[in-house]
Amino acid sequence: MTNTGIAMIGSGSATPPVSLDNQRLSQIVETSDEWIASRTGIRDRRVADPQTSLCSLATAASKQAIAMAQIDPSEIDLIVLATSTPDDLFGSASQIQAQLGATQAVAFDLTAACSGFIFGLVTAAQFIRTGVYKTVLLIGGDILSRWVDWSDRRTCVLFGDGAGAVVLQASECDRLLGFELRSDGTQNGCLNLSFQAQPQPLIDQITVSPGTYQPITMNGKEVYRFAVKKVPEVIEKALFRADLTVDQINWLILHQANQRIIDAVAQRLNIPSDRVISNLANYGNTSAASIPIALDEAVRAGKIKPGDVIATSGFGAGLTWGAAIFQWGI
């Protein structure tokens, strides 16, 4: 096996057609457009209806990425689906593989919440660099509306649904310039979508624990404090590994969680606002989908051009966080 470089050659994104803006949301819970927008930067979000599955969104985003990459689905060796909200708890990547007709691809799910796309990117890169696979489809997708308490205004205003995808391919030149991944389980309680058991005696001394997952809970102040401190640090470490400085970054794409976080991180890194990509106002926090959706929109708008250096960082439940520095295109 030989070490091989990585290029990101295609992107795609998909969101549900149903829009839930702040004004309509204020009819559900006691809130207002001004309250939400001033604290988060969010004005709208997309919400999946009962007929919309994660697989359908992920497949739609993937088809766009495959088309941009100008490859056939049969050329894909590996599909990595970064999600916390699969249609099937056993995994949904294989369903996407079937829907795409990617008959040669092995497929699996990866769960790292809002850091999922970054963790998935680094995971996929290892398969390419070691020569095991040549072409990888990486998808970040979540339908968090399934797991939101719509009576809790602290969380229900934040989240939206969607999927984004990229095609990674072996290349003579390595476009993944540096990365850094981190986890801190001692802060797991700050952001949860936890299982709650309902113990059921079975026979003799045996008790089983069927149950279900509970809606999202979050300590917003702690998550904000964590992100503003840790994200600039992890980006700087990834830049160090890439042997680059902040001045050499063309674009900053952060996980779209809160505009205040995005602004604070950019300020700490001294990155001007015209080099920061944000679509949070339109989609809210789409978890693992947020970075690839923002990337795809910027590429299709002509903002991001081949050769541009992009610094990106995901952060969230776990707690997990990470950063990657890459060049777009071949």
Side-chain angles (χ1 to χ4, degrees):
M1 296 181 183
T2 57
N3 288 325
T4 310
I6 298 140
M8 195 176 291
I9 62 170
S11 66
S13 59
T15 55
V18 178
S19 174
L20 179 62
D21 63 22
N22 291 346
Q23 189 62 43
R24 295 177 71 192
L25 191 55
S26 68
Q27 299 172 28
I28 302 169
V29 292
E30 187 179 347
T31 187
S32 68
D33 176 63
E34 189 279 331
W35 190 92
I36 299 169
S38 64
R39 286 163 176 79
T40 70
I42 300 167
R43 293 192 176 275
D44 205 351
R45 76 272 307 134
R46 301 294 180 87
V47 178
D49 63 24
Q51 288 72 46
T52 301
S53 66
L54 178 69
C55 286
S56 66
L57 293 173
T59 299
S62 298
K63 286 180 176 178
Q64 289 185 8
I66 290 166
M68 185 185 290
Q70 297 183 329
I71 64 169
D72 189 88
S74 63
E75 297 176 58
I76 300 170
D77 302 305
L78 171 66
I79 298 172
V80 178
L81 170 64
T83 187
S84 300
T85 58
D87 296 329
D88 182 339
L89 200 55
F90 287 151
S92 291
S94 294
Q95 295 177 58
I96 297 164
Q97 179 242 25
Q99 290 177 21
L100 290 172
T103 55
Q104 302 303 308
V106 63
F108 63 82
D109 291 21
L110 178 152
T111 301
C114 300
S115 305
F117 181 79
I118 300 297
F119 279 50
L121 173 61
V122 173
T123 299
Q126 309 317 306
F127 286 99
I128 295 176
R129 281 184 170 158
T130 55
V132 175
Y133 296 130
K134 180 182 176 182
T135 304
V136 180
L137 173 65
L138 169 62
I139 309 161
D142 274 302
I143 298 183
L144 287 176
S145 63
R146 292 172 172 170
W147 299 106
V148 166
D149 178 355
W150 289 98
S151 66
D152 179 7
R153 71 170 186 171
R154 297 169 300 175
T155 56
C156 75
V157 303
L158 301 175
F159 299 105
D161 303 334
V166 296
V167 173
L168 308 170
Q169 198 164 61
S171 171
E172 291 183 4
C173 297
D174 195 357
R175 305 301 185 187
L176 179 58
L177 308 176
F179 66 84
E180 183 81 10
L181 303 180
R182 295 281 174 164
S183 299
D184 182 3
T186 66
Q187 298 190 70
N188 178 262
C190 293
L191 182 52
N192 287 114
L193 203 174
S194 58
F195 180 82
Q196 182 171 321
Q198 297 172 340
Q200 175 184 324
L202 196 59
I203 188 172
D204 297 332
Q205 303 300 313
I206 299 174
T207 298
V208 292
S209 300
T212 188
Y213 289 91
Q214 298 302 296
I216 296 168
T217 61
M218 183 175 69
N219 184 327
K221 289 182 179 179
E222 287 300 318
V223 171
Y224 177 88
R225 190 175 296 119
F226 142 76
V228 170
K229 179 183 179 183
K230 296 297 186 180
V231 172
E233 291 177 1
V234 81
I235 290 174
E236 288 174 341
K237 287 177 180 175
L239 283 168
F240 176 79
R241 295 185 185 278
D243 196 24
L244 294 174
T245 64
V246 170
D247 293 339
Q248 293 171 285
I249 296 172
N250 296 110
W251 302 102
L252 175 67
I253 306 179
L254 299 180
H255 164 50
Q256 306 288 296
N258 185 305
Q259 192 62 44
R260 286 181 173 181
I261 293 175
I262 295 171
D263 293 342
V265 171
Q267 289 168 10
R268 292 200 179 192
L269 292 170
N270 293 316
I271 296 176
S273 59
D274 61 358
R275 285 162 54 196
V276 179
I277 291 174
S278 173
N279 63 1
L280 175 73
N282 299 324
Y283 300 108
N285 179 345
T286 55
S287 191
S290 75
I291 292 172
I293 290 174
L295 171 69
D296 180 56
E297 285 196 341
V299 167
R300 292 178 186 275
K303 273 188 170 184
I304 293 177
K305 296 177 172 58
D308 280 359
V309 176
I310 299 164
T312 185
S313 178
F315 48 91
L319 294 177
T320 59
W321 66 105
I325 314 297
F326 65 89
Q327 281 183 288
W328 171 254
I330 299 174

